[in-house]
Amino acid sequence: MDLATMTGMLLEGFGTTVQIFVLTLVGSIPLAVPVAFARMSRIAPMRAVARIYISIMRGTPLMLQMFAIYFAPYYVFGIELTPDSKWYACIVAFIINYAAYFAEIYRSGIQSIPRGQYEAAEVLGYTRAQTFARIVLPQVVKRILPAMGNEVITLVKDTSLAFAIGVAEMFSTAKALVASQVSMVPFAISAVFYWVFNFLVELLIGAAEKRLDYYHD
Protein backbone atom coordinates (compact mmCIF):
# COMPACT_ATOMS: atom_id res chain seq x y z
CA MET A 1 0.00 0.00 0.00
CA ASP A 2 1.42 3.39 -0.98
CA LEU A 3 1.90 6.24 1.48
CA ALA A 4 -0.87 8.41 -0.02
CA THR A 5 -3.50 5.68 0.36
CA MET A 6 -2.35 4.97 3.90
CA THR A 7 -2.51 8.66 4.80
CA GLY A 8 -5.98 8.97 3.29
CA MET A 9 -7.28 6.10 5.41
CA LEU A 10 -5.77 7.65 8.52
CA LEU A 11 -7.37 10.99 7.66
CA GLU A 12 -10.77 9.30 7.59
CA GLY A 13 -10.12 7.96 11.07
CA PHE A 14 -8.87 11.39 12.12
CA GLY A 15 -12.27 12.81 11.19
CA THR A 16 -13.84 10.52 13.80
CA THR A 17 -11.17 11.58 16.29
CA VAL A 18 -12.08 15.23 15.78
CA GLN A 19 -15.78 14.43 16.20
CA ILE A 20 -15.12 12.73 19.54
CA PHE A 21 -12.99 15.69 20.62
CA VAL A 22 -15.55 18.35 19.68
CA LEU A 23 -18.60 16.53 21.05
CA THR A 24 -16.81 15.84 24.32
CA LEU A 25 -16.00 19.52 24.81
CA VAL A 26 -19.51 20.63 23.78
CA GLY A 27 -21.05 18.24 26.30
CA SER A 28 -18.59 18.27 29.20
CA ILE A 29 -17.79 21.98 29.54
CA PRO A 30 -21.40 23.03 30.30
CA LEU A 31 -22.15 19.84 32.29
CA ALA A 32 -19.24 20.60 34.60
CA VAL A 33 -20.87 23.87 35.73
CA PRO A 34 -23.76 22.37 37.75
CA VAL A 35 -21.43 19.64 39.02
CA ALA A 36 -18.99 22.26 40.31
CA PHE A 37 -21.75 24.23 42.04
CA ALA A 38 -23.17 21.03 43.52
CA ARG A 39 -19.68 20.22 44.82
CA MET A 40 -19.61 23.60 46.60
CA SER A 41 -23.25 23.49 47.72
CA ARG A 42 -24.24 24.05 51.34
CA ILE A 43 -26.73 21.20 50.96
CA ALA A 44 -24.88 18.15 52.28
CA PRO A 45 -26.64 15.43 50.18
CA MET A 46 -26.07 17.40 46.96
CA ARG A 47 -22.44 17.95 47.88
CA ALA A 48 -22.03 14.25 48.69
CA VAL A 49 -23.54 13.12 45.37
CA ALA A 50 -21.21 15.45 43.46
CA ARG A 51 -18.18 14.20 45.39
CA ILE A 52 -19.09 10.55 44.73
CA TYR A 53 -19.63 11.24 41.03
CA ILE A 54 -16.30 13.02 40.70
CA SER A 55 -14.52 10.34 42.71
CA ILE A 56 -15.86 7.54 40.50
CA MET A 57 -15.11 9.36 37.25
CA ARG A 58 -11.56 10.25 38.28
CA GLY A 59 -10.86 7.01 40.14
CA THR A 60 -11.77 4.51 37.42
CA PRO A 61 -10.30 4.14 33.93
CA LEU A 62 -12.11 5.87 31.08
CA MET A 63 -11.88 2.64 29.10
CA LEU A 64 -13.75 0.79 31.85
CA GLN A 65 -16.41 3.51 31.89
CA MET A 66 -16.92 3.07 28.15
CA PHE A 67 -17.42 -0.66 28.57
CA ALA A 68 -19.88 -0.09 31.44
CA ILE A 69 -21.97 2.40 29.45
CA TYR A 70 -21.86 0.24 26.33
CA PHE A 71 -22.98 -3.00 27.98
CA ALA A 72 -25.25 -1.62 30.75
CA PRO A 73 -28.36 -1.11 28.55
CA TYR A 74 -28.28 -4.80 27.56
CA TYR A 75 -27.37 -6.45 30.86
CA VAL A 76 -29.34 -4.09 33.13
CA PHE A 77 -32.37 -3.16 31.02
CA GLY A 78 -32.38 -5.86 28.34
CA ILE A 79 -32.11 -3.31 25.53
CA GLU A 80 -30.62 -4.76 22.36
CA LEU A 81 -27.36 -3.21 21.21
CA THR A 82 -27.26 -1.58 17.78
CA PRO A 83 -24.37 -0.62 15.46
CA ASP A 84 -24.64 2.93 16.81
CA SER A 85 -24.44 1.83 20.45
CA LYS A 86 -20.63 1.91 20.41
CA TRP A 87 -20.58 5.50 19.21
CA TYR A 88 -23.13 6.72 21.76
CA ALA A 89 -21.41 4.86 24.59
CA CYS A 90 -18.09 6.39 23.59
CA ILE A 91 -19.40 9.96 23.52
CA VAL A 92 -21.38 9.64 26.77
CA ALA A 93 -18.40 8.11 28.57
CA PHE A 94 -16.05 10.86 27.40
CA ILE A 95 -18.51 13.62 28.36
CA ILE A 96 -19.26 12.43 31.88
CA ASN A 97 -15.59 11.61 32.50
CA TYR A 98 -14.25 14.98 31.43
CA ALA A 99 -17.10 16.87 33.12
CA ALA A 100 -15.78 15.58 36.45
CA TYR A 101 -12.29 16.93 35.76
CA PHE A 102 -13.57 20.26 34.46
CA ALA A 103 -15.87 20.59 37.50
CA GLU A 104 -12.91 20.38 39.86
CA ILE A 105 -11.03 22.94 37.79
CA TYR A 106 -14.03 25.29 37.95
CA ARG A 107 -14.33 24.77 41.70
CA SER A 108 -10.67 25.53 42.32
CA GLY A 109 -10.93 28.69 40.22
CA ILE A 110 -14.04 29.97 41.99
CA GLN A 111 -12.68 29.21 45.45
CA SER A 112 -9.39 30.95 44.63
CA ILE A 113 -11.13 34.35 44.54
CA PRO A 114 -10.58 36.16 47.86
CA ARG A 115 -13.67 36.57 50.02
CA GLY A 116 -12.91 40.28 50.29
CA GLN A 117 -13.89 40.82 46.66
CA TYR A 118 -17.40 39.55 47.34
CA GLU A 119 -17.67 41.81 50.38
CA ALA A 120 -16.40 44.82 48.44
CA ALA A 121 -18.92 44.17 45.67
CA GLU A 122 -21.71 43.94 48.23
CA VAL A 123 -20.71 47.30 49.70
CA LEU A 124 -20.81 48.81 46.20
CA GLY A 125 -24.36 47.56 45.75
CA TYR A 126 -23.77 44.66 43.38
CA THR A 127 -26.15 41.72 43.50
CA ARG A 128 -24.74 38.20 43.83
CA ALA A 129 -25.38 37.57 40.13
CA GLN A 130 -23.67 40.82 39.12
CA THR A 131 -20.74 40.09 41.40
CA PHE A 132 -20.22 36.69 39.85
CA ALA A 133 -20.69 37.81 36.23
CA ARG A 134 -18.69 41.06 36.34
CA ILE A 135 -16.05 40.47 38.99
CA VAL A 136 -15.57 36.80 39.75
CA LEU A 137 -16.10 35.11 36.37
CA PRO A 138 -13.47 37.10 34.38
CA GLN A 139 -10.85 36.25 37.01
CA VAL A 140 -11.91 32.60 37.19
CA VAL A 141 -11.68 32.17 33.42
CA LYS A 142 -8.14 33.54 33.37
CA ARG A 143 -7.02 31.43 36.31
CA ILE A 144 -8.41 28.12 35.08
CA LEU A 145 -7.36 28.49 31.45
CA PRO A 146 -3.94 26.77 31.82
CA ALA A 147 -5.48 23.81 33.67
CA MET A 148 -8.31 23.62 31.15
CA GLY A 149 -5.74 23.70 28.36
CA ASN A 150 -3.92 20.71 29.86
CA GLU A 151 -7.14 18.72 30.04
CA VAL A 152 -8.10 19.62 26.46
CA ILE A 153 -4.70 18.47 25.21
CA THR A 154 -5.08 15.24 27.19
CA LEU A 155 -8.48 14.77 25.56
CA VAL A 156 -6.89 14.85 22.10
CA LYS A 157 -4.75 11.86 23.06
CA ASP A 158 -7.49 10.09 25.02
CA THR A 159 -9.64 9.87 21.91
CA SER A 160 -7.45 6.91 20.97
CA LEU A 161 -9.13 4.92 23.77
CA ALA A 162 -12.31 4.75 21.69
CA PHE A 163 -10.80 1.79 19.83
CA ALA A 164 -11.45 -0.34 22.95
CA ILE A 165 -15.16 -0.64 22.12
CA GLY A 166 -14.68 -0.74 18.37
CA VAL A 167 -15.09 2.92 17.39
CA ALA A 168 -13.04 3.37 14.22
CA GLU A 169 -11.05 6.48 15.06
CA MET A 170 -7.53 7.18 13.82
CA PHE A 171 -5.63 4.97 16.27
CA SER A 172 -7.72 1.89 15.51
CA THR A 173 -7.17 2.54 11.80
CA ALA A 174 -3.43 2.84 12.41
CA LYS A 175 -3.42 -0.46 14.33
CA ALA A 176 -5.22 -2.23 11.50
CA LEU A 177 -2.78 -0.82 8.94
CA VAL A 178 0.24 -1.81 11.03
CA ALA A 179 -1.08 -5.37 11.27
CA SER A 180 -1.92 -5.65 7.55
CA GLN A 181 1.15 -3.87 6.16
CA VAL A 182 3.63 -5.13 8.78
CA SER A 183 4.99 -1.60 9.07
CA MET A 184 5.26 1.03 11.80
CA VAL A 185 4.71 3.85 9.31
CA PRO A 186 0.97 4.20 10.12
CA PHE A 187 1.83 4.76 13.77
CA ALA A 188 4.38 7.42 12.78
CA ILE A 189 1.85 9.22 10.57
CA SER A 190 -0.86 9.11 13.24
CA ALA A 191 1.65 10.48 15.78
CA VAL A 192 2.25 13.43 13.47
CA PHE A 193 -1.51 14.01 13.19
CA TYR A 194 -1.91 13.97 16.98
CA TRP A 195 1.03 16.33 17.44
CA VAL A 196 -0.19 18.83 14.83
CA PHE A 197 -3.69 18.79 16.32
CA ASN A 198 -2.30 19.39 19.79
CA PHE A 199 -0.04 22.14 18.46
CA LEU A 200 -3.07 23.94 17.02
CA VAL A 201 -4.89 23.55 20.33
CA GLU A 202 -1.88 25.01 22.14
CA LEU A 203 -1.87 28.00 19.79
CA LEU A 204 -5.57 28.66 20.45
CA ILE A 205 -5.13 28.38 24.21
CA GLY A 206 -2.06 30.62 24.08
CA ALA A 207 -4.01 33.22 22.12
CA ALA A 208 -6.82 33.09 24.67
CA GLU A 209 -4.38 33.53 27.55
CA LYS A 210 -2.78 36.50 25.80
CA ARG A 211 -6.20 38.06 25.21
CA LEU A 212 -6.98 37.76 28.93
CA ASP A 213 -3.64 39.22 29.95
CA TYR A 214 -5.29 42.57 30.69
CA TYR A 215 -5.93 41.32 34.22
CA HIS A 216 -3.03 40.87 36.63
CA ASP A 217 -3.19 39.44 40.14
Side-chain angles (χ1 to χ4, degrees):
M1 184 182 295
D2 61 272
L3 187 61
T5 303
M6 196 179 296
T7 303
M9 294 176 66
L10 289 171
L11 277 172
E12 289 183 14
F14 184 67
T16 303
T17 294
V18 173
Q19 289 181 50
I20 296 171
F21 173 80
V22 172
L23 291 174
T24 300
L25 290 184
V26 169
S28 61
I29 289 177
L31 177 60
V33 175
V35 175
F37 281 110
R39 179 71 174 80
M40 297 182 292
S41 174
R42 295 180 181 179
I43 303 172
M46 185 180 295
R47 190 169 61 248
V49 169
R51 291 187 66 175
I52 292 171
Y53 163 71
I54 291 172
S55 178
I56 292 174
M57 291 298 105
R58 297 198 305 174
T60 58
L62 175 56
M63 189 181 297
L64 182 60
Q65 294 165 19
M66 281 192 290
F67 280 121
I69 294 171
Y70 177 54
F71 290 111
Y74 178 77
Y75 287 105
V76 178
F77 303 106
I79 300 174
E80 290 294 329
L81 300 177
T82 68
D84 293 330
S85 296
K86 296 176 181 180
W87 174 254
Y88 292 131
C90 171
I91 299 303
V92 171
F94 269 86
I95 288 174
I96 63 175
N97 178 275
Y98 271 83
Y101 286 92
F102 289 151
E104 284 295 89
I105 293 173
Y106 294 169
R107 181 178 68 87
S108 66
I110 294 170
Q111 292 182 336
S112 71
I113 305 300
R115 182 63 192 170
Q117 295 196 25
Y118 293 92
E119 296 171 350
E122 185 178 358
V123 170
L124 293 172
Y126 283 84
T127 65
R128 294 187 65 176
Q130 288 174 329
T131 300
F132 184 80
R134 300 182 182 182
I135 299 174
V136 176
L137 186 59
Q139 299 179 66
V140 169
V141 171
K142 181 179 185 298
R143 294 184 182 196
I144 69 173
L145 199 55
M148 288 290 289
N150 286 337
E151 287 300 321
V152 171
I153 289 172
T154 299
L155 171 59
V156 174
K157 295 175 288 185
D158 277 353
T159 55
S160 62
L161 296 176
F163 86 93
I165 58 172
V167 175
E169 44 67 63
M170 184 172 63
F171 185 70
S172 60
T173 303
K175 283 186 64 179
L177 287 171
V178 166
S180 64
Q181 301 301 310
V182 194
S183 169
M184 294 296 289
V185 172
F187 279 158
I189 297 173
S190 61
V192 171
F193 283 156
Y194 282 122
W195 176 75
V196 171
F197 193 15
N198 268 327
F199 181 71
L200 293 175
V201 171
E202 288 175 15
L203 289 179
L204 290 173
I205 294 171
E209 289 183 10
K210 187 175 181 180
R211 186 175 181 82
L212 293 173
D213 201 38
Y214 60 84
Y215 170 78
H216 299 278
D217 293 326

